[in-house]
Amino acid sequence: MLAVTEPLSTPRLLLRPFRPDDADDLYEMRTCPDVLRHLYWPAASRNEVREVINARLTMNTLAAENDYLVLAVERRDTGRMIGEVDLCWTSVEHRHAEFGAILHPAGQGHGYAREASEALLGLAFDRLGLHRVTARTDARNAAAVRGLRRLGLRQEGHLRQCVRFDGKWHDELIFAILAEEWAAGRRGTVVGAFGDGPNGEPGSPKGAQEA
Ligand SMILES: CC(C)(COP(=O)(O)OP(=O)(O)OC[C@H]1O[C@@H](n2cnc3c(N)ncnc32)[C@H](O)[C@@H]1OP(=O)(O)O)[C@@H](O)C(=O)NCCC(=O)NCCS
């Protein structure tokens, strides 16, 4: 089990549970054509965003299969909510999860998606003890594909005409990273979002509790 009760700090970001006052920023993201281009859902109404926020207020714990952890991504320097990251515990028995990231265009191109995603993968592997984490993306989503590869995920599949949105069929790519690959990256080129501890051990994010 993993519960995020306090904001997690990375060098430039806070990853924290959603709050009711995130509604305006989330509405902006959920109606922005640049954000929605490769996502599988249409623009949301104000009411739908309120429902999404209400659901997310309690999505801070992974306790059972198919639980979702969804965290708002906030810039520490401005306090602005610029996006969200999510982790779904897809199999308890096989220790799998799937993750995703969405940033408002104002937050894109600065490495924030990578920083937030590294923190989330750190929770998945180092705190929850998962064996394998996957991600899916529209095959045309070049920014997502580039980001996933930079995080150390490998492409494992190309599903032809797998999803339908905007009245058309779209291909989907499946990416994955194993615990051993994550650990090797942390020892090597991947710079952990948490920083290292005093004796060189991977640092711990504040705010995450295991049970
Ligand atoms: C996918 C998505 C999250 C990627 O965001 P992003 O901003 O491209 O990714 P990053 O935050 O890692 O930023 C990458 C860029 O920041 C730059 N960067 C990296 N670290 C940096 C740092 N510390 N300081 C400044 N810039 C930095 C890099 O040069 C990189 O640019 P490049 O790839 O052109 O070389 C974003 O495009 C998005 O939200 N899209 C809409 C929703 C979506 O499609 N989500 C994915 C669904 S699967």
Side-chain angles (χ1 to χ4, degrees), residues 12 34-41 82 84 99-105 107-117 135-138 141-148 150-151:
R12 297 177 296 167
D34 283 342
V35 171
L36 296 173
R37 182 163 299 123
H38 298 299
L39 301 180
Y40 306 162
W41 55 75
I82 55 166
E84 63 182 48
F99 91 101
I102 301 176
L103 283 195
H104 187 278
Q108 293 179 15
H110 302 283
Y112 293 134
R114 176 175 176 167
E115 192 168 316
S117 299
R136 294 180 293 143
T137 179
D138 177 358
N141 193 344
V145 168
R146 195 166 52 233
L148 291 170
R150 282 207 176 123
L151 283 165

Side-chain angles (χ1 to χ4, degrees), residues 12 32 62 73 106-107 124 153 175 186:
R12 297 177 296 167
C32 173
L62 295 177
V73 177
L153 282 86
F175 284 82
R186 302 260 300 184

